[in-house]
Amino acid sequence: MRPTRRTCIAAGAALALTAGLAACSDGGSTDDGGPVTLTMWHGLTGPDGPAFQEVVDAFNDGQDEVTIEAEALPWDSLYQQFLTAATSDDGPDLVAMSASRLPQYAERGVLAPTDDFYADDTYMDTSVLAEGAVQASVYDGVNYGVPLNLGPVLMYWNKAVFEEAGLDPEAPPTTWEEFEEMIPDLTVDEDGDGTPDQYPIAMGDHSTVPVFPSFLWNGGGGVVSDDGTTALLGDAATVETAEHWVNLVREEQITPVGMSGADSDQLFQAELAAITINGPWMTAGLTEAGLDFDVTVPMAGPEGQSILGDVVSMTVSQRLDENETDAAYQFFAYWESVESQATWANGSGFPAIRTDMPEDAVTNEWAAVFGAPEVLENVRPYLTGVPGSGEINEDIFTPALQSALNGTGEVADLFPAAGEEIQAILDGGS
Amino acid sequence: MRFGRTVAGRQARAAWMFLAPGLALLTLFTAWPLLRTAYLSFTEYSLLTPPEWVGLANYRELLGDDQVMNALQNTVIYAVVVTPVTIALALALAMALNAKFFGRGIVRTAVFVPFVVSLAVVSIAFRFLLDPNYGLVTHWLDMVGLAPTQGALAQPGTAMAAVMAVGVWKNVGFYMVMFLAGLQSIPRDLYEAAQLDGAGRLQKFRTVTLPLLSNQTMLVSILAAIASFQVFDQIKVMTNGGPAMSTETLVVMVNRVGINNLEFGYGSAVSVLLLLLILLLSMAQYFYFGRKQVRY
């Protein structure tokens, strides 16, 4: 039978559909030991993005067995899209995510354990990696990730503003007491309307790096205990520390209330605040803006000087087969190599994750500051290994803090009540 | 029923054929999600694993949840303020712009344009306008001594007022156009008759305009109330429910509970609560305005 015109069109359409579907399926992954292509999502959309891609390109060009196709998305979009992608089994093979987010997915079986990567020296000697960064991706005794970056949150100060205030531009506050003595000098109310035109410090209270929780640590308290089992918001030390800082905000107006992280960055960049506490990702923008600034460890509290450290981990989808997992581990090992870590640190300003970097490998001054031994030794991740971390921080802690800062409630009432809600989550309720 | 044998049958078949695409879309995008949400509200569901039936547990939790009560209160406050203000302003604008004056078309367009612009874009623009450091609106308020010290969106006392004002500004043009259409359909001779009877402007408005706009008023009231109860975009972009959850409405809460916390079962229960609220309100409005409908 001769094919009719209609049959030809139908066959062509079917062929096109098949080809289309093939193109939609996961990369070029194979399970026969051949070349493997892995898709990877990450949220490095700032100046750190090109540095990451440079390492990925070097890895892809250096061998022909594994190809990493990295795709950058804003962090919030990444988390929202990954959720639906994971349910349809059509998502990325590898995902970079904040270590504090990881338990949410690990708990539900979306991610595969990466313990094999650390088991022996098959891929690399993992003992050279910063311990805090490795431990950040442990949930329920199982490691679900390999650190992509470690971002210690340090104190930035504007030297020009310090000088204008009659303070030594090379002597930022080293303790809370020193900071409090500087408050009158660093506060400027030009029009005398009672609202400062320049603030001593810029601190966001939502959608930002959790600076307030790090203050609670250094005052002897915290949001949740290190083992993730006990809420600490109702503890006397936490309440006392929170009251201290809330009073500084409400009475002394050390920072505007209600700022997001982006608002806080803008305030510091516009030289309307003398100090801010932030990660290494901010150095490039401030340098470009021509600010006369420097970075040091945050001022110490009466009970210590823990430094908040944000860790982004590279995680593996549970659906990867043995061959693909092996390919992923090859990339992870390459990422953690001295050469790649030097490229990353010099390009992004983030410190290297390896503790054995040769002295001359890192030439970026900010990477050296953020990767200094006294910084890395005191780095403490926030809410890692806690399944309800997002809910605890954003739905309970942040509103309680905002109510206190806005004066719609008192710390002594708000924090213990919030602590009870957090405890219910930690105990497995909701 | 057997179609096609009689004229009525053929007409019915034609009617169903024309209705079919619309019905299919309604079923797919409205009825099915509605039923699915109702089912999920009785389950614990994280999207990543199959739903687990928990009966009325979500509803029991919902009744004792302070966050739900807070979101419900915020939703009601928003709706109770924004709906009547929008309707009153839309009617006033429609009356004013129904009169003939130079540049009427431009003014009508200016009032209507905000409705066409994406709510997300409007919300981002207003975030800048209300910024405490460089916002234009803050600057104006500052000139008359009314600027909130930390910016309108940063304080619980003023954040809700700010999002409500944006909500009214955004939607008033759309309802104004509906009222304008209604005003233009009122026969002029009724006004002339009223004038002959000695009615003043206020009396004409009360006895002719308002009664004959009852259809439009009903439609606008129901649409505006539903839109107020479903407010999401502007709050999500302008405040994300904050500060201290002072602007979190039920829809914003559904988004937070479902997308952020992966509690789709509980989020669905909150959605069903909202659905019932809107249903009750719409029915009440329908019967209220139905009784008041006037035709001359």
Side-chain angles (χ1 to χ4, degrees), chain A residues 80 83 86-87 104 108 110 195 199 256-258 266-267 391 395 399 402-403 406 408 421 430, chain B residues 46-49 61 67 133-134 149-150 154-156 243-245 256 259-264:
Chain A
Q80 287 185 11
L83 177 75
T87 55
Q104 191 177 30
R108 292 168 169 85
V110 176
T195 303
Y199 293 86
V257 176
Q266 277 179 356
L267 198 74
E391 196 178 348
D395 301 352
Q402 288 181 321
S403 292
N406 275 294
T408 53
E421 287 182 53
S430 61
Chain B
S46 70
L47 200 67
L48 303 167
T49 45
E61 188 183 336
Q67 290 184 348
N133 296 310
Y134 46 80
T149 49
Q150 307 286 1
Q155 291 167 293
M245 296 201 171
R256 174 173 65 80
I259 302 294
N260 293 354
N261 303 347
L262 308 186
E263 294 175 18
F264 286 90

Side-chain angles (χ1 to χ4, degrees), chain B residues 60-71:
Chain B
R60 276 196 292 271
E61 188 183 336
L62 185 146
L63 290 174
D65 188 340
D66 290 343
Q67 290 184 348
V68 173
M69 293 306 139
N70 172 63

Side-chain angles (χ1 to χ4, degrees), chain B residues 17-263:
Chain B
M17 280 174 65
F18 279 112
L19 283 173
L23 282 175
L25 288 173
L26 267 178
T27 309
L28 189 64
F29 293 111
T30 305
W32 169 243
L34 205 72
L35 293 171
R36 177 82 177 155
T37 302
Y39 161 71
L40 288 177
S41 70
F42 296 103
T43 67
E44 194 177 311
Y45 183 38
S46 70
L47 200 67
L48 303 167
T49 45
E52 187 187 328
W53 186 264
V54 293
L56 290 169
N58 286 330
Y59 289 96
R60 276 196 292 271
E61 188 183 336
L62 185 146
L63 290 174
D65 188 340
D66 290 343
Q67 290 184 348
V68 173
M69 293 306 139
N70 172 63
L72 181 61
Q73 183 182 318
N74 289 337
T75 308
V76 171
I77 288 173
Y78 185 95
V80 164
V81 175
V82 168
T83 310
V85 170
T86 308
I87 294 169
L89 211 55
L91 181 57
L93 281 167
M95 298 284 292
L97 298 181
N98 198 33
K100 284 182 181 159
F101 61 89
F102 179 73
R104 184 176 70 168
I106 293 171
V107 180
R108 280 182 182 178
T109 309
V111 175
F112 187 73
V113 157
F115 179 73
V116 183
V117 183
S118 148
L119 200 43
V121 172
V122 164
S123 306
I124 291 170
F126 268 92
R127 268 181 55 186
F128 284 109
L129 290 169
L130 294 168
D131 186 277
N133 296 310
Y134 46 80
L136 193 61
V137 173
T138 310
H139 177 66
W140 290 338
L141 289 173
D142 199 25
M143 286 168 67
V144 291
L146 288 174
T149 49
Q150 307 286 1
L153 298 177
Q155 291 167 293
T158 51
M160 183 56 104
V163 291
M164 287 196 293
V166 174
V168 171
W169 175 82
K170 171 86 169 81
N171 292 320
V172 76
F174 175 67
Y175 301 121
M176 177 201 74
V177 169
M178 297 178 89
F179 276 127
L180 265 178
L183 285 174
Q184 284 165 8
S185 69
I186 298 174
R188 308 303 310 164
D189 52 356
L190 291 177
Y191 288 109
E192 286 161 13
Q195 193 154 3
L196 286 175
D197 289 342
R201 290 180 68 172
L202 193 64
Q203 271 182 309
K204 278 195 272 184
F205 175 73
R206 198 167 52 80
T207 56
V208 180
T209 310
L210 266 188
L212 286 176
L213 278 180
S214 58
N215 273 337
Q216 277 76 22
T217 311
M218 177 176 73
L219 188 63
V220 164
S221 300
I222 292 176
L223 289 179
I226 291 175
S228 297
F229 271 91
Q230 290 181 331
V231 61
F232 174 73
D233 320 41
Q234 72 201 66
I235 290 180
K236 182 73 185 162
V237 177
M238 287 177 76
T239 62
N240 198 21
M245 296 201 171
S246 59
T247 56
E248 183 169 83
T249 55
L250 284 171
V251 186
V252 176
M253 184 182 179
V254 168
N255 176 266
R256 174 173 65 80
V257 170
I259 302 294
N260 293 354
N261 303 347
L262 308 186
E263 294 175 18

Side-chain angles (χ1 to χ4, degrees), chain A residues 20-391:
Chain A
L21 287 175
C24 290
S25 68
D26 290 337
S29 302
T30 63
D31 52 7
D32 57 2
V36 175
T37 299
L38 298 174
T39 53
M40 179 175 186
W41 287 4
H42 64 85
L44 309 175
T45 53
D48 44 7
F52 177 75
Q53 191 60 45
E54 194 179 336
V55 176
V56 171
D57 291 342
F59 174 74
N60 289 341
D61 295 343
Q63 41 76 48
D64 51 14
E65 292 299 310
V66 183
T67 302
I68 301 293
E69 289 180 350
E71 190 181 339
L73 298 92
W75 284 116
D76 54 349
S77 301
L78 183 149
Y79 293 125
Q80 287 185 11
Q81 291 187 40
F82 178 56
L83 177 75
T84 44
T87 55
S88 64
D89 268 2
D90 192 29
D93 303 305
L94 312 175
V95 180
M97 64 169 74
S98 169
S100 64
R101 286 275 193 159
L102 186 147
Q104 191 177 30
Y105 299 99
E107 187 188 30
R108 292 168 169 85
V110 176
L111 305 175
T114 54
D115 279 336
D116 288 348
F117 181 76
Y118 299 100
D120 50 38
D121 291 351
T122 304
Y123 297 99
M124 69 174 291
D125 171 15
T126 54
S127 69
V128 301
L129 301 177
E131 184 62 17
V134 172
Q135 287 303 314
S137 54
V138 173
Y139 165 63
D140 209 14
V142 178
N143 201 318
Y144 284 93
V146 175
L148 185 154
N149 74 28
L150 168 63
V153 174
L154 297 184
M155 188 170 77
Y156 291 68
W157 84 99
N158 186 322
K159 293 203 270 190
V161 169
F162 267 64
E163 197 159 10
E164 274 174 39
L167 298 169
D168 181 356
E170 301 302 331
T174 59
T175 63
W176 291 2
E177 277 180 5
E178 283 182 21
F179 169 70
E180 284 158 37
E181 282 166 17
M182 293 177 181
I183 290 173
D185 297 320
L186 295 175
T187 307
V188 178
D189 181 8
E190 279 170 1
D191 52 12
D193 65 351
T195 303
D197 300 299
Q198 177 195 292
Y199 293 86
I201 192 167
M203 283 194 295
D205 61 25
H206 67 280
S207 311
T208 185
V209 288
V211 173
F212 270 96
S214 70
F215 284 169
L216 298 182
W217 287 337
N218 295 331
V223 177
V224 172
S225 62
D226 283 346
D227 62 4
T229 60
T230 313
L232 299 178
L233 278 191
D235 284 13
T238 307
V239 171
E240 195 183 325
T241 307
E243 279 177 336
H244 180 78
W245 280 95
V246 165
N247 281 340
L248 286 178
V249 174
R250 276 163 59 172
E251 307 299 330
E252 308 279 335
Q253 300 190 71
I254 58 167
T255 181
V257 176
M259 287 194 299
S260 66
D263 298 333
S264 168
D265 294 351
Q266 277 179 356
L267 198 74
F268 185 75
Q269 190 157 328
E271 305 201 71
L272 298 175
I275 296 170
T276 194
I277 295 177
N278 217 322
W281 50 84
M282 207 180 168
T283 54
L286 295 179
T287 306
E288 205 172 298
L291 246 69
D292 183 14
F293 73 100
D294 209 341
V295 178
T296 187
V297 289
M299 46 208 172
E303 299 297 327
Q305 198 166 21
S306 295
I307 297 168
L308 180 72
D310 188 43
V311 176
V312 171
S313 293
M314 295 181 284
T315 63
V316 178
S317 166
Q318 49 77 29
R319 67 162 192 273
L320 261 60
D321 63 28
E322 200 178 327
N323 193 31
E324 291 165 332
T325 304
D326 175 65
Y329 288 174
Q330 286 180 46
F331 171 66
F332 293 167
Y334 183 81
W335 173 259
E336 310 291 9
S337 67
V338 170
E339 184 191 2
S340 301
Q341 284 299 297
T343 306
W344 167 245
N346 292 329
S348 69
F350 275 77
I353 297 163
R354 292 179 73 102
T355 54
D356 64 343
M357 292 294 284
E359 265 183 30
D360 55 352
V362 178
T363 52
N364 183 313
E365 62 168 319
W366 299 119
V369 170
F370 282 89
E374 68 268 24
V375 171
L376 294 187
E377 280 164 17
N378 289 308
V379 158
R380 191 169 164 181
Y382 174 59
L383 291 180
T384 52
V386 180
S389 58
E391 196 178 348

